[in-house]
Amino acid sequence: MRSPTVKLLIYLSIGLSLLTCVDPADSTFNSSLNVLIVDCTITDKAETQVVRLNRSQADLPTGRFGYVPVTKATVQLVIDSAEVVNAQETTEGRYQLPADFKGRVGHVYQLKFTLADGTHYESSPERLQPVAPIGQVRAQFNPTSLNATERLNNVYTAAHDFYVDFTDPADQSNYYRWEWIDWERQEWCRSCNRGLYQISDEQGRLIEDCVNYNFNSSFPNYDYNCRTSCWEILYSNDLILFDDQYSNGNPVKGLLVGRVPLYSKEHSLVEIRQSSLSKQAYEYFKRLNDQTIAAGGVAGGQPALLVGNVHNVAKTNEPVVGYFTASSVSSVRYWLTRSDADGIAPSSLFQALNGKDPVNEPSTGRGRPPLAVCVSSDSRTPFKPAGWQD
């Protein structure tokens, strides 16, 4: 399972660190900010398990900052220091474990990988801790849920706030993280920048892509409707953490764990995910979250680059960002009708995500404009999500 929230905060943390240096207690650092970024959470759910490897790129004089996928690596997951499971690169920088693989509570996992140049990296071992089951989920419309830096298109502040009840296990320390996934009906499957969407080329070969015909800068950018049913997959941007220090063994009622923006007034399907963390993973994510919040405040200043639990075996002072962890997950899928939503909202999901209304290519006959394919990815699917009600 990908962890977009953590990835977003890690990337933000790196971006904010451009003008500073790494915490001296962690590692040394050079001014190019060329660092390896590891993103992986192993779960005990029957879902795609993925390791993502990227490398940051920074040009300090111009302030530009980006990421490049790390390709052709050999990636392995070691279970209980004995069993080895190999991951295969499916797209650049994305390494997927076998489809039938899932983690198991109580077992210890370690990530190991070797880059194309022979550099070897390992994570610290992570034991997959159990998690308390979610008892109940409820959603409440909040017209002012999103603050000034979170609002959609810098305008829309409304969201549905999600709350959970659960009972924390007694006589043990537990650490939690919450995330959400939102499936929204998508009507527009492709946008072309000064080009036209083509199903095939002049030789009749299937391309399903935008083709640029050297149009001038005034040529419109057209958007194309989906050929089949399609769903956009959206992810939480908040890192919600919880330490049971003051609630050990007690019921937890009405805990706010997510805010799903009012992307439109159409119904959607929301999965609330309650995950376990090791103490070390919790402390890392809490530092990451606190640092990111502080960096946006008046007294924030420039943060240090936060190094995780993955290290270069031969060069231990190399900064490697991100945290490999293993989590048990309790999840609930909630049918969000949005019948209680009022006030202003984006006119459509497309408008919410792009800040503008779609522009359809004018119809000229002869199959123009064509309908675009819904390409399956981490952010979109042509397959009806389990729990979708129409």
Side-chain angles (χ1 to χ4, degrees):
M1 175 65 193
R2 74 192 296 239
S3 184
T5 301
V6 174
K7 180 188 291 186
L8 176 65
L9 290 176
I10 288 172
Y11 287 5
L12 178 59
S13 176
I14 294 174
L16 291 170
S17 302
L18 284 172
L19 301 179
T20 187
C21 62
V22 175
D23 185 338
D26 289 325
S27 60
T28 59
F29 175 67
N30 66 53
S31 62
S32 68
L33 200 68
N34 183 359
V35 296
L36 187 65
I37 306 165
V38 179
D39 177 21
C40 179
T41 296
I42 297 300
T43 75
D44 60 351
K45 288 182 68 67
E47 60 189 10
T48 304
Q49 312 274 345
V50 173
V51 180
R52 285 181 173 79
L53 302 178
N54 289 280
R55 189 172 290 280
S56 68
Q57 282 194 339
D59 183 346
L60 295 182
T62 65
R64 291 178 297 179
F65 182 56
Y67 311 91
V68 175
V70 175
T71 63
K72 298 180 174 59
T74 301
V75 178
Q76 296 179 324
L77 187 69
V78 181
I79 306 172
D80 297 328
S81 301
E83 182 183 358
V84 176
V85 180
N86 295 312
Q88 300 298 320
E89 187 171 15
T90 56
T91 58
E92 291 189 344
R94 181 186 188 273
Y95 299 85
Q96 184 172 319
L97 292 164
D100 59 351
F101 173 83
K102 65 177 182 178
R104 293 175 291 170
V105 169
H107 290 263
V108 176
Y109 298 88
Q110 184 180 24
L111 178 65
K112 296 185 178 183
F113 59 92
T114 303
L115 303 187
D117 64 3
T119 310
H120 184 61
Y121 296 83
E122 294 182 359
S123 75
S124 60
E126 280 278 300
R127 184 177 298 276
L128 201 154
Q129 307 285 352
V131 70
I134 295 174
Q136 187 174 2
V137 175
R138 68 181 179 90
Q140 180 175 322
F141 178 68
N142 182 348
T144 59
S145 181
L146 307 179
N147 64 36
T149 61
E150 299 167 332
R151 58 182 62 168
L152 288 176
N153 300 339
N154 295 318
V155 174
Y156 306 107
T157 61
H160 277 85
D161 295 340
F162 276 79
Y163 301 85
V164 299
D165 300 342
F166 66 98
T167 299
D168 181 72
D171 303 322
Q172 65 186 60
S173 297
N174 296 99
Y175 304 91
Y176 300 88
R177 177 176 68 193
W178 286 271
E179 299 168 295
W180 53 258
I181 305 172
D182 176 31
W183 288 267
E184 303 264 352
R185 179 81 75 175
Q186 178 60 269
E187 303 294 336
W188 300 87
C189 277
R190 194 60 187 267
S191 298
C192 291
N193 182 19
R194 290 201 295 275
L196 296 175
Y197 186 79
Q198 299 284 14
I199 296 175
S200 59
D201 63 14
E202 293 178 353
Q203 286 73 43
R205 294 171 297 195
L206 184 69
I207 58 172
E208 297 283 6
D209 204 355
C210 298
V211 176
N212 190 309
Y213 293 100
N214 296 318
F215 295 128
N216 61 40
S217 59
S218 64
F219 191 83
N221 297 332
Y222 288 133
D223 307 295
Y224 295 86
N225 285 114
C226 300
R227 188 178 308 159
T228 62
S229 294
C230 190
W231 288 266
E232 197 78 15
I233 310 173
L234 303 163
Y235 300 88
S236 50
N237 291 326
D238 296 323
L239 185 57
I240 307 297
L241 305 169
F242 185 74
D243 175 354
D244 74 346
Q245 179 180 0
Y246 301 111
S247 61
N248 191 10
N250 294 316
V252 178
K253 301 286 188 181
L255 183 66
L256 177 63
V257 297
R259 299 170 299 149
V260 178
L262 189 63
Y263 294 110
S264 75
K265 292 188 178 180
E266 300 297 321
H267 43 228
S268 73
L269 180 67
V270 178
E271 179 175 285
I272 300 297
R273 298 169 60 92
Q274 180 167 295
S275 304
S276 63
L277 291 174
S278 66
K279 184 176 188 294
Q280 295 78 14
Y282 170 82
E283 289 174 345
Y284 173 84
F285 292 134
K286 187 174 187 306
R287 284 181 62 194
L288 175 64
N289 201 35
D290 291 347
Q291 174 176 288
T292 306
I293 292 171
V298 175
Q302 292 293 336
L305 189 65
L306 190 57
V307 174
N309 67 339
V310 179
H311 66 276
N312 182 327
V313 173
K315 186 180 177 183
T316 57
N317 67 338
E318 176 190 337
V320 180
V321 176
Y323 203 97
F324 166 76
T325 190
S327 296
S328 182
V329 178
S330 174
S331 63
V332 171
R333 293 199 174 187
Y334 185 101
W335 183 243
L336 182 63
T337 65
R338 292 187 168 126
S339 59
D340 57 346
D342 56 21
I344 63 169
S347 58
S348 65
L349 176 64
F350 185 98
Q351 203 272 345
L353 299 180
N354 298 280
K356 67 181 185 70
D357 290 325
V359 178
N360 209 342
E361 178 191 327
S363 177
T364 59
R366 301 186 301 278
R368 304 298 311 180
L371 299 176
V373 67
C374 179
V375 178
S376 184
S377 69
D378 289 330
S379 60
R380 190 170 287 178
T381 180
F383 306 109
K384 184 177 180 180
W388 191 268
Q389 294 190 16
D390 69 355

